[in-house]
């Protein structure tokens, strides 16, 4: 009897500790331990199935979390469809015809609702999916801190002002990340997510035609699929070496002036980021270590906790 009492008391203490942390604006790795114990496995299975169906989806899900956190914090705002009251983030320049994976999020959220109605937020779903996508493609794992709640609004203007542009120079990139409380090292580490995924011609056209800090043969090969005008949606690998493996080759490409985007190559162009790029290009373990730390730090940008926001039932719309 005493041992049973202690067991249930422990459950109550753990649950209370997680909820107290959230109320104080702190996230917890054990947030759903008692309220939705299958949450992590449901997301993991959904992510694995989606990537197995389309390898590119791993990069897309990781990118959704990044684009969510950079716009008024990690609050699931990137998932909201436009309403009569606001124009959301999906049609902002960095996301329009580019952000994807919304249907995958819908499918996973539906399964979470079946298991634990009204418990797991869309913002947390994105954070977990970003980790699981990274791991599935060979990258590092980390304990995701949870307890975010969802926003009830979104802003196209904020997305266009806050998300770094593929045409940004190094100082602009540093400023964009610093505005989110992220350091130069965080920026270089998080940019390593470009070791997977694809980019549209419209995002790298200026780099291959107008920049001089690009390997000539590399630029020539890209010009075949991305003319000076037209074919905006043609796709190229962000990492020409291993586009579907999470590894250090993104940085090794930069050393050879083979970064796909102008903003990529800016990280190795005689500036303050060169040293970190060099270190990551030589040491996978170091890159993975700093990527883990940076993802946790990014995931903690201005979360809605306690009674702020809501837990959306459908990630596309406010309850």
């Amino acid at each position: 009897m005493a041992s049973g009492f202690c067991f249930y008391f422990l459950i109550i203490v753990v649950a209370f500790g997680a909820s107290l942390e959230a109320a104080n604006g702190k996230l917890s790795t054990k947030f759903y331990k008692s309220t939705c114990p299958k949450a992590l496995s449901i997301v993991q299975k959904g992510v694995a199935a989606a990537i197995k169906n389309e390898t590119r989806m791993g990069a897309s899900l990781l990118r959704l979390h990044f684009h969510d956190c950079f716009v008024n914090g990690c609050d699931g705002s990137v998932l909201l469809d436009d309403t009569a009251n606001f124009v959301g983030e999906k049609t902002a320049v960095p996301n329009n015809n580019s952000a994807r994976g919304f249907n995958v999020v819908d499918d996973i959220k539906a399964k979470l609702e079946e298991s634990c109605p009204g418990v797991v937020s869309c913002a947390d779903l994105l954070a977990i999916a970003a980790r699981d996508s990274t791991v599935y493609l060979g990258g590092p794992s980390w304990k995701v801190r949870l307890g975010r709640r969802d926003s009830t609004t979104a802003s196209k203007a904020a997305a266009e002002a806050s998300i770094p542009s593929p045409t940004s120079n190094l100082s602009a990139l540093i400023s964009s990340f610093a505005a989110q409380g992220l350091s130069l090292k965080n920026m270089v580490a998080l940019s390593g997510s470009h070791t997977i995924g694809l980019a549209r011609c419209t995002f790298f056209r200026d780099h291959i035609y107008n920049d001089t800090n690009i390997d000539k043969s590399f630029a020539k090969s890209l010009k075949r699929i991305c003319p000076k005008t037209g074919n905006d949606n043609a796709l190229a690998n962000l990492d020409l070496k291993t586009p579907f493996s999470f590894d250090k080759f993104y940085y090794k490409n930069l050393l050879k002036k083979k970064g796909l985007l102008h903003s990529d190559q800016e990280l190795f162009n005689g500036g303050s980021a060169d040293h970190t790029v060099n270190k990551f290009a030589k040491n996978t373990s170091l890159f993975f270590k700093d990527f883990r730390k940076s993802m946790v730090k990014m995931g903690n940008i201005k979360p809605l906790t306690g009674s702020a926001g809501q837990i959306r039932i459908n990630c596309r719309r406010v309850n």
Side-chain angles (χ1 to χ4, degrees):
M1 184 69 177
S3 61
F5 172 77
C6 290
F7 175 74
Y8 287 114
F9 179 73
L10 180 61
I11 290 177
I12 292 170
V13 169
V14 169
F16 177 73
S19 61
L20 185 61
E21 280 189 314
N24 292 331
K26 294 180 181 179
L27 306 179
S28 167
T29 58
K30 300 177 181 178
F31 188 79
Y32 297 114
K33 188 172 184 179
S34 61
T35 57
C36 192
K38 294 182 180 178
L40 293 177
S41 63
I42 289 171
V43 177
Q44 191 276 330
K45 289 175 184 176
V47 168
I51 299 176
K52 192 173 290 185
N53 182 57
E54 182 196 7
T55 311
R56 182 189 177 194
M57 189 53 67
S60 299
L61 292 171
L62 176 55
R63 187 167 179 256
L64 276 182
H65 181 47
F66 176 88
H67 282 213
D68 181 36
C69 290
F70 262 62
V71 186
N72 297 320
C74 310
D75 60 3
S77 59
V78 70
L79 302 173
L80 285 171
D81 290 337
D82 295 353
T83 71
N85 298 318
F86 63 79
V87 178
E89 299 163 25
K90 290 181 177 179
T91 56
V93 172
N95 295 326
N96 196 33
N97 297 317
S98 178
R100 55 198 303 278
F102 301 111
N103 290 337
V104 172
V105 172
D106 291 341
D107 291 344
I108 296 173
K109 178 60 172 171
K111 290 182 174 63
L112 288 169
E113 287 300 312
E114 286 177 17
S115 182
C116 317
V119 173
V120 182
S121 70
C122 300
D124 276 349
L125 192 169
L126 289 182
I128 302 166
R131 188 272 310 275
D132 292 344
S133 295
T134 300
V135 172
Y136 190 95
L137 295 174
S141 184
W142 59 93
K143 289 186 177 181
V144 182
R145 296 177 185 174
L146 303 165
R148 302 167 190 82
R149 288 168 64 85
D150 298 321
S151 67
T152 55
T153 188
S155 170
K156 178 181 178 181
E160 293 183 343
S162 302
I163 298 173
S165 165
T167 61
S168 294
N169 60 25
L170 183 61
S171 62
L173 289 170
I174 291 171
S175 295
S176 291
F177 279 76
Q180 307 296 341
L182 299 167
S183 68
L184 174 71
K185 183 186 283 187
N186 294 146
M187 178 189 74
V188 178
L190 291 170
S191 296
S193 62
H194 283 184
T195 189
I196 54 174
L198 306 166
R200 295 165 60 222
C201 163
T202 189
F203 288 146
F204 60 83
R205 178 181 281 122
D206 284 347
H207 182 47
I208 65 175
Y209 284 100
N210 300 322
D211 289 346
T212 56
N213 61 335
I214 183 170
D215 178 84
K216 290 183 179 179
S217 62
F218 177 57
K220 186 177 180 181
S221 68
L222 291 168
K223 289 174 183 177
R224 297 191 191 108
I225 63 166
C226 183
K228 285 188 175 181
T229 58
N231 214 24
D232 287 356
N233 293 324
L235 298 169
N237 296 325
L238 282 161
D239 173 357
L240 78 159
K241 186 80 173 179
T242 54
F244 300 113
S245 294
F246 201 99
D247 54 33
K248 66 181 181 181
F249 277 100
Y250 166 77
Y251 301 105
K252 294 177 78 69
N253 294 334
L254 298 185
L255 300 186
K256 299 176 182 178
K257 296 186 177 181
K258 292 182 179 180
L260 180 64
L261 306 178
H262 174 86
S263 56
D264 287 330
Q265 198 57 57
E266 278 290 293
L267 299 185
F268 191 78
N269 194 33
S272 56
D274 283 16
H275 179 65
T276 307
V277 170
N278 256 313
K279 290 202 299 184
F280 289 163
K282 295 174 182 176
N283 191 328
T284 299
S285 296
L286 180 63
F287 163 43
F288 280 11
K289 176 185 173 184
D290 285 323
F291 186 81
R292 281 195 298 266
K293 289 182 178 179
S294 299
M295 285 297 292
V296 171
K297 190 174 180 180
M298 185 185 77
N300 203 40
I301 296 173
K302 294 186 289 187
L304 297 174
T305 57
S307 59
Q310 62 179 209
I311 304 299
R312 281 188 234 131
I313 306 304
N314 181 327
C315 291
R316 293 175 181 265
R317 61 176 180 263
V318 175
N319 293 345

